Amino acid sequence: MPVWQAIVLAVVQGLTEFLPISSTAHLVLVPWFFGWQDPGLTFDVALHVGTLIAVLAYFSRTWTELTLSGLGLRRPPPSANTDATSRRLSDKKLFWLLVLATIPAGAAGWLLQKQVETTLRNPVVMGAALILVALLMALAEKVGTANKDITRVGLADSLWIGFSQALALIPGVSRSGITMTAALLRNFRREAAARYSFLLSTPIIAGASLKAALDAAQGGIQQEMIFPMVVGMIVAAVVGYLTISFFLKFLQFGTFKIFVYYRIILGIIVLALALFVRLETTP
């Protein structure tokens, strides 16, 4: 695999993993558009490790506080410090709600792995999913009141967003796109919806990367792929970190409309090309 292709795909992964436009669809569609050879599972693992590093690095302090509070490993604050006590109780609650919200996607991924890797992995499904989630996102933008912060997340919110994340197994849906849309429908502020989505992505990306790495280890790693994999991982990590930072700042004043339009346009193009290729190959 040429290194320049590895860099292109790593940039695509770093951008689309955290923007609500589907990383899986783009990583399938970019080689499909340009006729590139499939880089294989090991390269895909490297890119996901890169974006895992990005989200861990950006939210390292947040995850440290959440984990310590969730597991009861932080010293209790002075009794007079009610603000600190309230914050730690909030962190503990958020930690376990994130754990709970991770279960549906993890279970669905375990049960439906074969279907996701075969039946659902085609341009028609991706194009349709891109458009359908765009319409849901537009609806969420319209009906959501955008008055809820991440500290106010409750059990119903967590279950709603967690089950929506399971739909991201369908290529084109977008894990970040569907979870942010679900959060908007639960009246989250846009920036809070993205922040919760990114935190929720951490265990899912980690689990998926570990599972894929174990699968890839059984087949071994080709010597010529080591350098492109390392380059891809580094580029995906850097681009992913910058994307998270930019997106959270953008949503403080921007909306999801640009992503709605992008998804619809891309979905139409994908469906049109899929139909054209199908007609071209029909005897």
Side-chain angles (χ1 to χ4, degrees), residues 10-33:
V11 171
V12 170
Q13 170 69 10
L15 287 170
T16 59
E17 180 67 43
F18 302 110
L19 296 180
I21 53 178
S22 179
S23 62
T24 302
H26 282 77
L27 286 178
V28 172
L29 293 172
V30 168
W32 182 62
F33 280 150

PDB file of all heavy atoms in Angstrom, residues 10-33:
ATOM      1  N   ALA A  10      -6.027   7.907   6.514  1.00  0.00           N
ATOM      2  CA  ALA A  10      -5.891   8.297   7.917  1.00  0.00           C
ATOM      3  C   ALA A  10      -6.550   9.656   8.167  1.00  0.00           C
ATOM      4  O   ALA A  10      -7.194   9.862   9.210  1.00  0.00           O
ATOM      5  CB  ALA A  10      -4.420   8.344   8.305  1.00  0.00           C
ATOM      6  N   VAL A  11      -6.396  10.580   7.236  1.00  0.00           N
ATOM      7  CA  VAL A  11      -7.059  11.883   7.357  1.00  0.00           C
ATOM      8  C   VAL A  11      -8.575  11.697   7.317  1.00  0.00           C
ATOM      9  O   VAL A  11      -9.314  12.304   8.107  1.00  0.00           O
ATOM     10  CB  VAL A  11      -6.602  12.838   6.227  1.00  0.00           C
ATOM     11  CG1 VAL A  11      -7.451  14.101   6.213  1.00  0.00           C
ATOM     12  CG2 VAL A  11      -5.130  13.201   6.395  1.00  0.00           C
ATOM     13  N   VAL A  12      -9.041  10.847   6.414  1.00  0.00           N
ATOM     14  CA  VAL A  12     -10.470  10.549   6.325  1.00  0.00           C
ATOM     15  C   VAL A  12     -10.983   9.971   7.639  1.00  0.00           C
ATOM     16  O   VAL A  12     -12.027  10.381   8.163  1.00  0.00           O
ATOM     17  CB  VAL A  12     -10.746   9.565   5.163  1.00  0.00           C
ATOM     18  CG1 VAL A  12     -12.186   9.059   5.218  1.00  0.00           C
ATOM     19  CG2 VAL A  12     -10.483  10.233   3.826  1.00  0.00           C
ATOM     20  N   GLN A  13     -10.238   9.030   8.202  1.00  0.00           N
ATOM     21  CA  GLN A  13     -10.637   8.416   9.474  1.00  0.00           C
ATOM     22  C   GLN A  13     -10.642   9.439  10.605  1.00  0.00           C
ATOM     23  O   GLN A  13     -11.585   9.500  11.395  1.00  0.00           O
ATOM     24  CB  GLN A  13      -9.692   7.263   9.827  1.00  0.00           C
ATOM     25  CG  GLN A  13      -9.837   6.705  11.226  1.00  0.00           C
ATOM     26  CD  GLN A  13     -11.141   5.953  11.452  1.00  0.00           C
ATOM     27  OE1 GLN A  13     -11.863   5.687  10.502  1.00  0.00           O
ATOM     28  NE2 GLN A  13     -11.443   5.633  12.697  1.00  0.00           N
ATOM     29  N   GLY A  14      -9.602  10.244  10.693  1.00  0.00           N
ATOM     30  CA  GLY A  14      -9.516  11.236  11.761  1.00  0.00           C
ATOM     31  C   GLY A  14     -10.632  12.263  11.706  1.00  0.00           C
ATOM     32  O   GLY A  14     -11.121  12.720  12.745  1.00  0.00           O
ATOM     33  N   LEU A  15     -11.066  12.611  10.495  1.00  0.00           N
ATOM     34  CA  LEU A  15     -12.162  13.567  10.338  1.00  0.00           C
ATOM     35  C   LEU A  15     -13.518  12.925  10.587  1.00  0.00           C
ATOM     36  O   LEU A  15     -14.330  13.427  11.361  1.00  0.00           O
ATOM     37  CB  LEU A  15     -12.141  14.162   8.925  1.00  0.00           C
ATOM     38  CG  LEU A  15     -11.053  15.174   8.601  1.00  0.00           C
ATOM     39  CD1 LEU A  15     -11.036  15.472   7.102  1.00  0.00           C
ATOM     40  CD2 LEU A  15     -11.263  16.467   9.386  1.00  0.00           C
ATOM     41  N   THR A  16     -13.756  11.802   9.937  1.00  0.00           N
ATOM     42  CA  THR A  16     -15.109  11.244   9.921  1.00  0.00           C
ATOM     43  C   THR A  16     -15.470  10.432  11.153  1.00  0.00           C
ATOM     44  O   THR A  16     -16.654  10.178  11.395  1.00  0.00           O
ATOM     45  CB  THR A  16     -15.307  10.371   8.664  1.00  0.00           C
ATOM     46  OG1 THR A  16     -14.334   9.300   8.663  1.00  0.00           O
ATOM     47  CG2 THR A  16     -15.127  11.193   7.404  1.00  0.00           C
ATOM     48  N   GLU A  17     -14.493  10.012  11.939  1.00  0.00           N
ATOM     49  CA  GLU A  17     -14.801   9.288  13.173  1.00  0.00           C
ATOM     50  C   GLU A  17     -15.553  10.171  14.155  1.00  0.00           C
ATOM     51  O   GLU A  17     -16.417   9.699  14.905  1.00  0.00           O
ATOM     52  CB  GLU A  17     -13.524   8.768  13.831  1.00  0.00           C
ATOM     53  CG  GLU A  17     -13.751   7.994  15.118  1.00  0.00           C
ATOM     54  CD  GLU A  17     -14.478   6.678  14.897  1.00  0.00           C
ATOM     55  OE1 GLU A  17     -14.144   5.963  13.935  1.00  0.00           O
ATOM     56  OE2 GLU A  17     -15.396   6.371  15.689  1.00  0.00           O
ATOM     57  N   PHE A  18     -15.264  11.469  14.137  1.00  0.00           N
ATOM     58  CA  PHE A  18     -15.843  12.367  15.125  1.00  0.00           C
ATOM     59  C   PHE A  18     -16.836  13.363  14.546  1.00  0.00           C
ATOM     60  O   PHE A  18     -17.625  13.934  15.287  1.00  0.00           O
ATOM     61  CB  PHE A  18     -14.716  13.097  15.864  1.00  0.00           C
ATOM     62  CG  PHE A  18     -13.759  12.159  16.545  1.00  0.00           C
ATOM     63  CD1 PHE A  18     -12.461  12.000  16.093  1.00  0.00           C
ATOM     64  CD2 PHE A  18     -14.181  11.389  17.620  1.00  0.00           C
ATOM     65  CE1 PHE A  18     -11.590  11.119  16.705  1.00  0.00           C
ATOM     66  CE2 PHE A  18     -13.319  10.496  18.242  1.00  0.00           C
ATOM     67  CZ  PHE A  18     -12.022  10.356  17.786  1.00  0.00           C
ATOM     68  N   LEU A  19     -16.820  13.578  13.246  1.00  0.00           N
ATOM     69  CA  LEU A  19     -17.872  14.361  12.614  1.00  0.00           C
ATOM     70  C   LEU A  19     -19.038  13.424  12.305  1.00  0.00           C
ATOM     71  O   LEU A  19     -18.830  12.235  12.038  1.00  0.00           O
ATOM     72  CB  LEU A  19     -17.355  15.017  11.327  1.00  0.00           C
ATOM     73  CG  LEU A  19     -16.239  16.045  11.489  1.00  0.00           C
ATOM     74  CD1 LEU A  19     -15.833  16.607  10.126  1.00  0.00           C
ATOM     75  CD2 LEU A  19     -16.641  17.181  12.427  1.00  0.00           C
ATOM     76  N   PRO A  20     -20.264  13.927  12.301  1.00  0.00           N
ATOM     77  CA  PRO A  20     -21.442  13.039  12.153  1.00  0.00           C
ATOM     78  C   PRO A  20     -21.725  12.645  10.706  1.00  0.00           C
ATOM     79  O   PRO A  20     -22.839  12.828  10.198  1.00  0.00           O
ATOM     80  CB  PRO A  20     -22.575  13.889  12.737  1.00  0.00           C
ATOM     81  CG  PRO A  20     -22.170  15.292  12.450  1.00  0.00           C
ATOM     82  CD  PRO A  20     -20.667  15.316  12.607  1.00  0.00           C
ATOM     83  N   ILE A  21     -20.708  12.068  10.034  1.00  0.00           N
ATOM     84  CA  ILE A  21     -20.870  11.761   8.610  1.00  0.00           C
ATOM     85  C   ILE A  21     -20.450  10.334   8.260  1.00  0.00           C
ATOM     86  O   ILE A  21     -20.392   9.994   7.079  1.00  0.00           O
ATOM     87  CB  ILE A  21     -20.084  12.761   7.737  1.00  0.00           C
ATOM     88  CG1 ILE A  21     -18.623  12.841   8.171  1.00  0.00           C
ATOM     89  CG2 ILE A  21     -20.729  14.142   7.798  1.00  0.00           C
ATOM     90  CD1 ILE A  21     -17.771  13.779   7.329  1.00  0.00           C
ATOM     91  N   SER A  22     -20.148   9.499   9.231  1.00  0.00           N
ATOM     92  CA  SER A  22     -19.865   8.069   9.079  1.00  0.00           C
ATOM     93  C   SER A  22     -18.456   7.758   8.588  1.00  0.00           C
ATOM     94  O   SER A  22     -18.159   7.870   7.396  1.00  0.00           O
ATOM     95  CB  SER A  22     -20.874   7.389   8.146  1.00  0.00           C
ATOM     96  OG  SER A  22     -20.565   6.017   8.003  1.00  0.00           O
ATOM     97  N   SER A  23     -17.610   7.338   9.507  1.00  0.00           N
ATOM     98  CA  SER A  23     -16.244   6.952   9.154  1.00  0.00           C
ATOM     99  C   SER A  23     -16.231   5.646   8.369  1.00  0.00           C
ATOM    100  O   SER A  23     -15.481   5.490   7.402  1.00  0.00           O
ATOM    101  CB  SER A  23     -15.384   6.803  10.417  1.00  0.00           C
ATOM    102  OG  SER A  23     -15.892   5.777  11.257  1.00  0.00           O
ATOM    103  N   THR A  24     -17.083   4.689   8.761  1.00  0.00           N
ATOM    104  CA  THR A  24     -17.114   3.399   8.068  1.00  0.00           C
ATOM    105  C   THR A  24     -17.464   3.576   6.599  1.00  0.00           C
ATOM    106  O   THR A  24     -16.821   2.998   5.712  1.00  0.00           O
ATOM    107  CB  THR A  24     -18.142   2.458   8.731  1.00  0.00           C
ATOM    108  OG1 THR A  24     -17.800   2.276  10.099  1.00  0.00           O
ATOM    109  CG2 THR A  24     -18.172   1.111   8.032  1.00  0.00           C
ATOM    110  N   ALA A  25     -18.484   4.377   6.337  1.00  0.00           N
ATOM    111  CA  ALA A  25     -18.890   4.612   4.953  1.00  0.00           C
ATOM    112  C   ALA A  25     -17.764   5.249   4.152  1.00  0.00           C
ATOM    113  O   ALA A  25     -17.484   4.838   3.021  1.00  0.00           O
ATOM    114  CB  ALA A  25     -20.131   5.502   4.916  1.00  0.00           C
ATOM    115  N   HIS A  26     -17.096   6.240   4.715  1.00  0.00           N
ATOM    116  CA  HIS A  26     -16.036   6.934   3.982  1.00  0.00           C
ATOM    117  C   HIS A  26     -14.836   6.021   3.736  1.00  0.00           C
ATOM    118  O   HIS A  26     -14.224   6.088   2.666  1.00  0.00           O
ATOM    119  CB  HIS A  26     -15.608   8.197   4.730  1.00  0.00           C
ATOM    120  CG  HIS A  26     -16.556   9.349   4.549  1.00  0.00           C
ATOM    121  ND1 HIS A  26     -17.748   9.428   5.218  1.00  0.00           N
ATOM    122  CD2 HIS A  26     -16.489  10.449   3.749  1.00  0.00           C
ATOM    123  CE1 HIS A  26     -18.380  10.541   4.855  1.00  0.00           C
ATOM    124  NE2 HIS A  26     -17.646  11.172   3.975  1.00  0.00           N
ATOM    125  N   LEU A  27     -14.490   5.185   4.717  1.00  0.00           N
ATOM    126  CA  LEU A  27     -13.344   4.290   4.527  1.00  0.00           C
ATOM    127  C   LEU A  27     -13.639   3.207   3.492  1.00  0.00           C
ATOM    128  O   LEU A  27     -12.714   2.669   2.877  1.00  0.00           O
ATOM    129  CB  LEU A  27     -12.962   3.641   5.865  1.00  0.00           C
ATOM    130  CG  LEU A  27     -12.253   4.564   6.859  1.00  0.00           C
ATOM    131  CD1 LEU A  27     -11.966   3.816   8.152  1.00  0.00           C
ATOM    132  CD2 LEU A  27     -10.956   5.124   6.281  1.00  0.00           C
ATOM    133  N   VAL A  28     -14.908   2.880   3.297  1.00  0.00           N
ATOM    134  CA  VAL A  28     -15.280   1.944   2.237  1.00  0.00           C
ATOM    135  C   VAL A  28     -15.410   2.669   0.905  1.00  0.00           C
ATOM    136  O   VAL A  28     -14.963   2.184  -0.137  1.00  0.00           O
ATOM    137  CB  VAL A  28     -16.607   1.228   2.595  1.00  0.00           C
ATOM    138  CG1 VAL A  28     -17.107   0.402   1.409  1.00  0.00           C
ATOM    139  CG2 VAL A  28     -16.413   0.334   3.806  1.00  0.00           C
ATOM    140  N   LEU A  29     -16.013   3.860   0.935  1.00  0.00           N
ATOM    141  CA  LEU A  29     -16.333   4.564  -0.299  1.00  0.00           C
ATOM    142  C   LEU A  29     -15.120   5.194  -0.969  1.00  0.00           C
ATOM    143  O   LEU A  29     -15.046   5.230  -2.207  1.00  0.00           O
ATOM    144  CB  LEU A  29     -17.387   5.637  -0.010  1.00  0.00           C
ATOM    145  CG  LEU A  29     -18.769   5.110   0.395  1.00  0.00           C
ATOM    146  CD1 LEU A  29     -19.666   6.255   0.835  1.00  0.00           C
ATOM    147  CD2 LEU A  29     -19.395   4.339  -0.753  1.00  0.00           C
ATOM    148  N   VAL A  30     -14.175   5.712  -0.179  1.00  0.00           N
ATOM    149  CA  VAL A  30     -13.006   6.361  -0.794  1.00  0.00           C
ATOM    150  C   VAL A  30     -12.229   5.380  -1.669  1.00  0.00           C
ATOM    151  O   VAL A  30     -11.954   5.675  -2.835  1.00  0.00           O
ATOM    152  CB  VAL A  30     -12.101   7.010   0.277  1.00  0.00           C
ATOM    153  CG1 VAL A  30     -10.762   7.421  -0.323  1.00  0.00           C
ATOM    154  CG2 VAL A  30     -12.795   8.227   0.884  1.00  0.00           C
ATOM    155  N   PRO A  31     -11.840   4.181  -1.173  1.00  0.00           N
ATOM    156  CA  PRO A  31     -11.185   3.220  -2.060  1.00  0.00           C
ATOM    157  C   PRO A  31     -12.096   2.773  -3.212  1.00  0.00           C
ATOM    158  O   PRO A  31     -11.621   2.521  -4.318  1.00  0.00           O
ATOM    159  CB  PRO A  31     -10.861   2.039  -1.131  1.00  0.00           C
ATOM    160  CG  PRO A  31     -10.837   2.627   0.239  1.00  0.00           C
ATOM    161  CD  PRO A  31     -11.874   3.691   0.221  1.00  0.00           C
ATOM    162  N   TRP A  32     -13.403   2.689  -2.950  1.00  0.00           N
ATOM    163  CA  TRP A  32     -14.351   2.288  -3.988  1.00  0.00           C
ATOM    164  C   TRP A  32     -14.404   3.332  -5.105  1.00  0.00           C
ATOM    165  O   TRP A  32     -14.394   3.002  -6.290  1.00  0.00           O
ATOM    166  CB  TRP A  32     -15.731   2.095  -3.358  1.00  0.00           C
ATOM    167  CG  TRP A  32     -16.798   1.640  -4.318  1.00  0.00           C
ATOM    168  CD1 TRP A  32     -16.832   0.482  -5.029  1.00  0.00           C
ATOM    169  CD2 TRP A  32     -18.007   2.345  -4.638  1.00  0.00           C
ATOM    170  NE1 TRP A  32     -17.984   0.417  -5.778  1.00  0.00           N
ATOM    171  CE2 TRP A  32     -18.727   1.540  -5.557  1.00  0.00           C
ATOM    172  CE3 TRP A  32     -18.564   3.561  -4.230  1.00  0.00           C
ATOM    173  CZ2 TRP A  32     -19.963   1.922  -6.079  1.00  0.00           C
ATOM    174  CZ3 TRP A  32     -19.793   3.932  -4.741  1.00  0.00           C
ATOM    175  CH2 TRP A  32     -20.474   3.132  -5.656  1.00  0.00           C
ATOM    176  N   PHE A  33     -14.457   4.606  -4.730  1.00  0.00           N
ATOM    177  CA  PHE A  33     -14.485   5.681  -5.723  1.00  0.00           C
ATOM    178  C   PHE A  33     -13.245   5.661  -6.617  1.00  0.00           C
ATOM    179  O   PHE A  33     -13.325   5.834  -7.828  1.00  0.00           O
ATOM    180  CB  PHE A  33     -14.577   7.051  -5.031  1.00  0.00           C
ATOM    181  CG  PHE A  33     -15.962   7.417  -4.574  1.00  0.00           C
ATOM    182  CD1 PHE A  33     -16.136   8.229  -3.464  1.00  0.00           C
ATOM    183  CD2 PHE A  33     -17.093   6.968  -5.236  1.00  0.00           C
ATOM    184  CE1 PHE A  33     -17.403   8.578  -3.029  1.00  0.00           C
ATOM    185  CE2 PHE A  33     -18.365   7.307  -4.809  1.00  0.00           C
ATOM    186  CZ  PHE A  33     -18.521   8.119  -3.704  1.00  0.00           C
TER     187      PHE A  33
END
